[in-house]
Amino acid sequence: MTTPPEPPPDHEPAPAPGDEPTRARGGAPDGSAGSSPSGPPRGAPSDGARVPVLTDADADADADAGTGPGPGPGPASRVRRFWSVRRIPAAVLAALVLGGAGLLLYDVAAVRADRTAMAWRRELADGLATRPLDDTWVVVGAAVAVVLGLWLLILAATPGLRAILPMRREHADVRAGLDREAAALALRDRAMEVSGVQSVRVRVGRSKVAVKAASHFRALDEVRADVEAAVAAGVDELALAHPPALTVRVARPPRKA
């Protein structure tokens, strides 16, 4: 009695854990199974080398070292104020120096040409030769010269442009500033949205924001808390590099006679 042959299975049995193809471990398979007759698939290396895989740890290390892809540049640790070009003081000083030097040069040239020197230069020379150092006019002239010198030194050492508030730098190549009047207007609009506020006056300085509000209904403490929260949120939305301190005062409007 013969046993009929078993029909072939519909699919190949799953390979054992130890018999998985070498291709899954990065190597080339022993035969031609799984490969097309025209060669390796598009984008695969032709020499059989492994494709490097960039893990999250490697990306973080490259971002910290600044050698690989990573998040965009963060805000700078220190944001400086904008420097004024000071065209008006420079123009005034240049005009005074040019006028004085030109007048003195003309008088010296006139004396060399056998002409009489100007009266102001003769009086100045006689006064410097005869007046003592404790004379009133000498002291006044020295004080004026010292004040002008200190003013020029202060202008040279300070940035100026107090009306522009520097903003946070999200990118190293971009610098932004906000006008103080524009910031005050934006904060005033935020304070006017609070229920019970009738009028608001906002003054924005370099290090302080002063808010004076008038409330015609609701408790003053509640209105003050709401105004302070709204203005504080507005200051945070302005993205200033140096957030100013906030002071809020709320009072009743004056009664009409």
Side-chain angles (χ1 to χ4, degrees):
M1 181 176 181
T2 61
T3 304
E6 296 181 359
D10 297 338
H11 59 276
E12 294 293 332
D19 298 336
E20 61 183 16
T22 309
R23 177 172 52 84
R25 296 193 298 267
D30 295 338
S32 60
S35 60
S36 60
S38 59
R42 181 179 300 178
S46 58
D47 55 354
R50 292 186 180 182
V51 178
V53 179
L54 182 63
T55 61
D56 295 338
D58 297 335
D60 296 339
D62 293 340
D64 295 338
T67 58
S77 59
R78 182 180 180 184
V79 179
R80 298 183 178 180
R81 292 171 53 191
F82 292 88
W83 280 78
S84 173
V85 293
R86 295 185 174 90
R87 294 187 178 92
I88 295 178
V92 171
L93 180 60
L96 292 177
V97 172
L98 182 61
L103 187 61
L104 182 61
L105 181 61
Y106 172 79
D107 190 56
V108 171
V111 172
R112 295 295 182 181
D114 297 334
R115 293 185 179 181
T116 306
M118 292 184 180
W120 66 269
R121 195 161 74 93
R122 293 198 305 267
E123 293 179 1
L124 180 60
D126 294 340
L128 293 176
T130 58
R131 289 180 183 271
L133 295 179
D134 57 352
D135 185 75
T136 303
W137 290 107
V138 175
V139 174
V140 171
V144 171
V146 169
V147 171
L148 290 177
L150 290 176
W151 179 57
L152 294 176
L153 289 177
I154 291 174
L155 290 180
T158 54
L161 292 181
R162 300 174 62 88
I164 298 179
L165 302 175
M167 302 176 66
R168 292 194 294 263
R169 300 187 65 177
E170 300 296 339
H171 301 279
D173 298 334
V174 179
R175 292 192 64 190
L178 182 63
D179 188 77
R180 287 164 55 179
E181 294 183 359
L185 183 60
L187 297 179
R188 177 185 176 276
D189 293 340
R190 293 297 299 267
M192 287 296 296
E193 297 176 357
V194 177
S195 176
V197 174
Q198 183 180 13
S199 61
V200 181
R201 293 178 57 186
V202 180
R203 181 179 178 274
V204 178
R206 290 181 50 228
S207 59
K208 185 177 180 181
V209 174
V211 180
K212 295 181 180 180
S215 175
H216 57 292
F217 70 93
R218 293 182 66 195
L220 294 182
D221 294 338
E222 297 179 359
V223 176
R224 182 183 300 107
D226 293 344
V227 170
E228 186 173 358
V231 176
V235 170
D236 185 65
E237 291 178 357
L238 294 179
L240 299 177
H242 309 286
L246 178 62
T247 58
V248 179
R249 296 176 58 186
V250 180
R252 294 299 182 190
R255 296 182 179 180
K256 297 182 179 180

